[in-house]
Amino acid sequence: MIRVDLSHMRHFIPLPYEAALTPRLHLAHERLRSGTGAGGEFTGWVSLPRTYDREEFGRIKAAAKKIRGDSQALVVIGIGGSYLGARGVIECLCSPNYNLKKKDTPNIYFVGNGLDNDQLAEVMELLEGHDFSVNVISKSGTTTEPAVAFRFFRQLLEQKYGREEAARRIYATTDRNKGALKALAAAEGYESFVVPDDIGGRYSVLTAVGLLPIAVAGIDIEQLMAGAAAMEADCAREGMDANPAWQYAGARYELQHRGMEIEVLACYDPFFRFMAEWWKQLYGESEGKEGKGLFPASVEFTADLHSMGQYLQEGRRNLFETVVRFEPRAGELAVPFDAENGDGLNFLAGKTMSDLKQQAMDGTLLAHVEGGVPNIRVCCGARSAFTLGELIYFFCYACGLSGYLLDVNPFDQPGVEAYKKNMFALLGKPGYEDLGQSLRARLAENDS
C-alpha cells in the first residue's frame, strides 16, 4: 500500500487547508470517476484495472512468449506515452543495464522517440547478426518520429527475412478501427493490439502500449495489474484521511497556491530514472495549460546531491520535493570490514547499503526542510511488479484530480500541436506551403 507522508510540508502552510479543499477534491473525484469533467471521454484508465480486455491480455502474453522464443532483441518504436512508461517499468524492475545483463529475455531497444541519425544507425548496427522483432506503437501511424523509424526497421526486417516472415515479426499497437498503421497492419497481416480510444498516451502504460514490451522483458504483468487494481480501490475512497491521491493532489495544489512553482521528483534509486521521465510527461502535459501548472523536474539522489544539491539547499525558494521511497529488498549487500581502515569508514562495516541509503534520505530531508524546501514523501513497498502497478495508478489518479483542481483539462495537449505544425510546414508537407514560406522568411530574418 502507498502511504503519503506530509509531515515535512505542513509547517510551510500557516493554516489548515484540508477542510477548505475537501469540497473541491470531492467534486474533482466525482468528475473523474463519472467521466463528466473536462476530457471525460479519455478517462477509461480510471476503471481499467477491473475492466481491461482479458482476451487481448492473453494475446499480449502469448505474443511476448513468441518474441522471447524467436528473437534476441525487440525494437520498440514510439514516442512520449508510447514508450516512457514501458521503459520506466523495465528499468525499474529489471535494471537500467537491462540490455547488458545475462538473461533469458531479449534485449529491448527504444527508438522513434527523436529524429537523431546516430541513434537509429547505432541500433541497426547492434541488431546485426541477431534475430529481432518490432513493436510499433502509434494511434494514427503518421506521427513523424515513430513513422520515420518504422520505415527503417520494417525495411531491415524485410531485407533480412523477406516480406512474409517480416510481417510475422511486426506487432502493431494502434487504433482499433482506423488510421494509417491500422490499415497497413491489416494489409500486411501484422498482429495488432489496441490503443484504447478512451485512454490518452501518457495514461496508457497499463494497456497494450506498455504491457507488451514489459511482458517481453519477463515482468509479471498479472501482478502489475493486480497492484493497479489494489490502488484503484484505495483511490475510490472519499476523504483526505482515506485516499492517498487526495492527499498528494491536495498538498501539491496548496503548495502551488502558496507560491511554489516547481515540483522536483526525487528518488534514491538509479533504476527510477525513466519512471521519473514518465512522471514528468504525465504532469507536464496534463497541467501545463492556460498559464497554470507546476513545472515538473526530477533528480536522482544521492548522485545529484553532488550537483543540484547546492541549488536545492540554498537556491530560490520556489520549489518543493516529492520523494519516492521504496522499502528495501531482501539480500542487501553489507559494507566490508577493512583491517587497515585507510578511508576511516569502518564505522559503516556491517551496515547494508539500504541502511546507508536510509540515513542519506533522512539527513537530506532534514537539511532541505531546514533550508526552506517543503517535502512530500510517497512511501511504497519493496520494488516489485505489484508495487509499480500501485504507483502508476496512484500518480495517474492524483494527476487527474490535480488538473481538475486547476480547472484545466488534464487529458488534452493542444500546445504539443504547435511544433508539429511548424515542422510539417518546414519539411514541405502538402497543404502547409504558405505556412512554410512564412516560417522560412522569419528564420532568414532572425539569422540576418
Side-chain angles (χ1 to χ4, degrees):
M1 180 175 177
I2 287 176
R3 181 174 60 87
V4 178
D5 184 345
L6 303 176
S7 59
H8 291 278
M9 56 79 70
R10 292 190 180 280
H11 76 265
F12 291 91
I13 299 173
L15 296 172
Y17 66 92
E18 290 94 340
L21 197 54
T22 291
R24 296 194 63 190
L25 275 166
H26 176 79
L27 181 60
H29 179 77
E30 287 298 310
R31 288 174 173 169
L32 197 54
R33 299 203 67 76
S34 64
T36 56
E41 65 272 25
F42 295 107
T43 54
W45 57 271
V46 174
S47 62
L48 182 71
R50 287 181 292 109
T51 62
Y52 67 90
D53 184 335
R54 265 63 177 181
E55 184 275 331
E56 182 176 65
F57 194 81
R59 289 198 303 112
I60 289 169
K61 295 203 300 185
K65 182 178 180 180
K66 177 180 180 296
I67 294 167
R68 290 196 300 268
D70 67 16
S71 300
Q72 295 162 291
L74 173 67
V75 179
V76 179
I77 302 174
I79 193 168
S82 294
Y83 93 101
L84 282 171
R87 183 166 183 178
V89 172
I90 291 168
E91 292 203 2
C92 194
L93 296 180
C94 298
S95 171
N97 300 312
Y98 171 80
N99 284 347
L100 301 176
K101 294 178 68 175
K102 293 180 180 179
K103 56 191 182 300
D104 58 3
T105 53
N107 286 348
I108 299 178
Y109 301 103
F110 293 92
V111 301
N113 46 64
L115 293 169
D116 182 66
N117 174 81
D118 291 352
Q119 182 203 31
L120 285 175
E122 181 180 66
V123 173
M124 294 167 88
E125 183 179 343
L126 289 169
L127 293 172
E128 289 180 5
H130 298 289
D131 288 316
F132 72 98
S133 296
V134 166
N135 178 205
V136 55
I137 307 166
S138 176
K139 180 78 169 169
S140 65
T142 58
T143 303
T144 305
E145 294 90 339
V148 167
F150 184 47
R151 285 196 174 198
F152 283 100
F153 287 96
R154 179 188 175 195
Q155 182 184 69
L156 198 63
L157 277 171
E158 291 179 350
Q159 289 172 347
K160 184 177 179 70
Y161 298 106
R163 188 168 178 174
E164 186 175 332
E165 175 60 21
R168 287 194 282 267
R169 290 177 171 272
I170 296 174
Y171 301 83
T173 307
T174 187
D175 190 271
R176 186 184 298 276
N177 300 308
K178 63 183 186 299
L181 181 55
K182 178 61 179 177
L184 179 63
E188 298 292 331
Y190 306 155
E191 183 165 7
S192 296
F193 300 96
V194 175
V195 179
D197 290 335
D198 58 356
I199 301 178
R202 57 191 178 274
Y203 293 87
S204 68
V205 62
L206 297 177
T207 72
V209 170
L211 291 179
L212 180 57
I214 290 168
V216 170
I219 293 166
D220 187 342
I221 59 174
E222 297 268 8
Q223 280 294 297
L224 195 70
M225 297 304 290
M231 184 50 56
E232 183 197 357
D234 289 343
C235 289
R237 299 179 185 139
E238 295 194 17
M240 278 287 204
D241 293 337
N243 191 320
W246 281 39
Q247 295 164 15
Y248 178 50
R252 296 177 76 252
Y253 177 82
E254 191 63 23
L255 287 167
Q256 183 176 0
H257 187 62
R258 300 288 175 177
M260 302 299 170
E261 300 171 343
I262 300 168
E263 180 178 13
V264 179
L265 187 74
C267 188
Y268 286 72
D269 304 282
F271 56 71
F272 197 75
R273 177 188 168 198
F274 266 88
M275 286 302 299
E277 294 299 317
W278 167 78
W279 174 89
K280 285 192 288 190
Q281 184 200 5
L282 179 66
Y283 281 84
E285 205 168 52
S286 297
E287 292 187 312
K289 296 154 193 172
E290 302 173 25
K292 301 176 183 178
L294 289 158
F295 182 83
S298 64
V299 290
E300 182 185 304
F301 288 159
T302 61
D304 284 340
L305 291 173
H306 296 261
S307 54
M308 293 297 292
Q310 173 62 41
Y311 190 94
L312 290 168
Q313 188 68 43
E314 296 184 347
R316 292 185 63 198
R317 303 296 78 177
N318 63 344
L319 56 85
F320 67 93
E321 288 177 296
T322 296
V323 180
V324 176
R325 305 179 77 156
F326 291 96
E327 291 179 3
R329 284 175 158 180
E332 293 270 338
L333 295 172
V335 178
F337 177 82
D338 184 344
E340 295 182 3
N341 197 27
D343 53 15
L345 295 181
N346 269 352
F347 71 97
L348 299 178
K351 295 183 184 293
T352 67
M353 294 303 294
S354 284
D355 293 334
L356 273 61
K357 183 165 62 177
Q358 180 68 42
Q359 301 313 312
M361 289 186 205
D362 290 342
T364 303
L365 183 154
L366 292 172
H368 286 181
V369 168
E370 290 168 2
V373 179
N375 186 288
I376 298 170
R377 287 185 291 175
V378 177
C379 304
C380 309
R383 189 164 42 107
S384 68
F386 187 93
T387 299
L388 260 288
E390 286 186 305
L391 190 63
I392 288 165
Y393 191 90
F394 164 79
F395 275 136
C396 286
Y397 200 86
C399 187
L401 293 176
S402 294
Y404 286 154
L405 287 176
L406 289 173
D407 294 319
V408 300
N409 180 347
F411 307 113
D412 66 356
Q413 51 280 336
V416 174
E417 303 307 315
Y419 99 87
K420 292 183 180 179
K421 182 178 67 173
N422 287 351
M423 180 177 68
F424 291 155
L426 291 169
L427 287 171
K429 184 174 181 177
Y432 289 77
E433 292 85 358
D434 290 345
L435 178 59
Q437 184 176 357
S438 172
L439 292 175
R440 281 187 286 273
R442 285 166 55 190
L443 288 169
E445 183 179 339
N446 289 338
D447 289 339
S448 62

